[in-house]
Amino acid sequence: MTETRGAQLVGSVNFDDAETTMRTVAEILGAHVRRIPDGEVGKRFHWIMFQPDVLGEAEGIERVGEEPIPFGAGLDIRPLRLASGVEPARIDLPPLGYASAAAESYALFTRLRAEGTIPAGVRFQVSLPTPVAVISSFFRGEDRGAFEPVYADAILGELEQILEHIPHSDLAIQWDVASEMGILEGASGYGSVMEHWWAGDVLDGIVVRLAALVDSVPPEVEVGMHLCYGDAGEKHFVEPSDTANLVRVANAVLVAAGRELSWLHLPVPIDRADEAYFAPLAELTEVAELYLGLIHREDGAAGARRRLAAADSAVRQDVGVATECGIGRAPAGTTEGILRTHAEVAAPR
């Protein structure tokens, strides 16, 4: 039997503010987690859905449609397009919002650690979307390839500000990889089939982009990769038939990246407690920390243990536990129970 040790929070947590998130996580999971996020509160509650409102303020970027498409938290998720005749490289984007949120939450993190609420040695986790996620979700056609380098530069600029503000020994960066899995699977998302726009092989294009993002994080900063199949209404955009594509992506990135991956998170659907789902994990290259997202609020510790037992036939290293995606959209009142399930299933880190 592989040993189940430690827990990983994907990022979003269903509390209204960062202090409640950090205090609650520290109280329930302080001995189990190596990193604590701020819960992705405020406008980040719906992951990247606030980015159209940010990007739509830039001269040279237009909203598609006359009427707003309302979303939670007062967001307008109308798609985006490049204005006619605009040179993408000349577009001056406003701050994307990730660096400022990280700075604010890190100040809270250090205060809570000084108080003894957050244990020493636990890092502050910042989760960032890949450029492919934003481009594939909100742009169409030739605008995707044209605007991708602009947005990639912007998100890396946000990362650079985070690296300047937060001591590297305190920091962990997670890249959220959802749209890439949808593109690889040919899934439907946001009303259309998720397709790639780059020349050449789909997987090769995904891997070169992800490896560059991993390598953008300095060696003294931890970097993780959360492979994901979406979480709109607590539902994947497509249910993976098994872990084969997850392993394909992870192994290829591990080869292509120039630095070590600090952790890898893989999702496990609630109805997959069969060995067939986990069988491809026998080919997964060993990573420093592997987390299986097999905790689900609907069946708690008992369900997680069933999925762990099935995974044991293929997993070749000790694992930690997680939910399959963030728990920010879980029903109100369920968050503490989900956190306690992590502690019940996994031994301390």
Side-chain angles (χ1 to χ4, degrees), residues 251-265:
N251 280 351
V253 172
L254 290 169
V255 169
R259 62 155 293 173
E260 181 183 64
L261 197 67
S262 306
W263 78 92
L264 173 67
H265 169 280

Side-chain angles (χ1 to χ4, degrees), residues 69-80:
I69 300 176
F71 201 73
L75 303 176
D76 174 7
I77 62 167
R78 274 180 296 168
L80 303 162

Side-chain angles (χ1 to χ4, degrees), residues 236-321:
H236 288 158
F237 42 67
V238 65
E239 295 297 342
S241 58
D242 56 28
T243 53
N245 275 336
L246 296 165
V247 170
R248 288 175 67 203
V249 171
N251 280 351
V253 172
L254 290 169
V255 169
R259 62 155 293 173
E260 181 183 64
L261 197 67
S262 306
W263 78 92
L264 173 67
H265 169 280
L266 305 177
V268 182
I270 190 170
D271 60 352
R272 300 306 298 268
D274 56 293
E275 292 185 1
Y277 178 78
F278 298 97
L281 292 182
E283 304 302 320
L284 179 67
T285 301
E286 186 171 341
V287 292
E289 299 173 36
L290 174 63
Y291 295 93
L292 297 181
L294 42 69
I295 288 177
H296 293 266
R297 65 175 178 81
E298 295 88 344
D299 60 7
R305 291 191 178 106
R306 286 195 298 273
R307 290 180 279 275
L308 270 171
D312 190 63
S313 62
V315 174
R316 300 294 183 241
Q317 65 175 97
D318 292 344
V319 299
V321 300

Side-chain angles (χ1 to χ4, degrees), residues 3 9 24 58 66 82 101 103 106 119 131 144 150 218 220 233 240 242 247 250 291 318 343:
E3 185 171 355
L9 295 178
T24 307
E66 296 298 324
L82 300 181
Y106 179 67
R144 289 177 163 180
V150 179
E220 60 272 20
D242 56 28
V247 170
Y291 295 93
D318 292 344

Side-chain angles (χ1 to χ4, degrees), residues 10 20 125 137 147 159 161 191 221 228 308 313 316-317 345:
V10 174
T20 301
Q125 177 180 320
S137 298
F147 188 66
L159 172 62
Q161 292 178 57
V221 177
C228 183
L308 270 171
S313 62
R316 300 294 183 241
Q317 65 175 97
V345 175

Side-chain angles (χ1 to χ4, degrees), residues 62-70 76 78-79 81:
E62 300 173 342
R63 306 305 293 267
V64 178
E66 296 298 324
E67 295 298 322
I69 300 176
D76 174 7
R78 274 180 296 168
R81 66 186 173 206

